[in-house]
Amino acid sequence: QVQLQESGPGLVDPSQTLSLTCTVSGGSITTKYYYWSWIRQLPGKGMEWMGAIAYNDTTYYSPSLKSRTSISRDTSKNQFTLQLSSVTPEDTAVYYCARRFRATTDWDHYLRYDYWGPGTQVTVSS
């Protein structure tokens, strides 16, 4: 059974960089052909795919967030990390990590993700 768990600060100051880590157990993040995504749910809105890192370390980003987003991984810890720079209160959301098999398009087809973390609330406020 694959499990994902998000971790990171629940409160971030405006203009700072948000950093979240997803720890994966029950499966390796290097296993072909899985893709590991960050997805967020903004208050009163739908889900928003932010970016992903593939089993082979290739990264993919939402065009709308690409200039502020970086995703990396630590294979020794079986973790992948999201960094979102220059945050504003509009980045307040529940952040999720999730897994998907063999896909480099249609990232916002959320039913195709088979495992999700429970989500973590991040509030951007001074």
Side-chain angles (χ1 to χ4, degrees):
Q1 177 80 0
V2 175
Q3 292 185 317
L4 291 80
Q5 179 67 57
E6 305 89 352
S7 60
L11 181 64
V12 182
D13 289 330
S15 81
Q16 299 303 302
T17 296
L18 164 67
S19 183
L20 295 174
T21 295
C22 182
T23 300
V24 179
S25 59
S28 172
I29 62 173
T30 62
T31 299
K32 294 180 179 179
Y33 297 92
Y34 285 103
Y35 295 76
W36 306 87
S37 282
W38 286 99
I39 298 163
R40 67 182 181 178
Q41 182 153 27
L42 302 167
K45 299 182 181 180
M47 308 292 277
E48 179 182 28
W49 178 77
M50 303 180 70
I53 188 164
Y55 63 95
N56 62 0
D57 208 25
T58 302
T59 52
Y60 305 82
Y61 296 106
S62 166
S64 65
L65 295 170
K66 185 175 182 178
S67 64
R68 298 196 291 134
T69 306
S70 178
I71 298 174
S72 60
R73 69 181 187 175
D74 184 338
T75 57
S76 69
K77 297 180 180 179
N78 215 35
Q79 296 175 333
F80 61 105
T81 298
L82 167 74
Q83 291 193 309
L84 180 66
S85 64
S86 304
V87 297
T88 72
E90 286 67 42
D91 292 308
T92 294
V94 178
Y95 287 76
Y96 299 90
C97 54
R99 188 186 83 165
R100 183 168 162 181
F101 181 70
R102 199 187 284 272
T104 56
T105 60
D106 300 329
W107 296 104
D108 58 350
H109 288 201
Y110 300 115
L111 293 179
R112 296 181 183 177
Y113 292 82
D114 58 355
Y115 288 100
W116 293 72
T120 187
Q121 172 71 47
V122 176
T123 300
V124 179
S125 175
S126 57

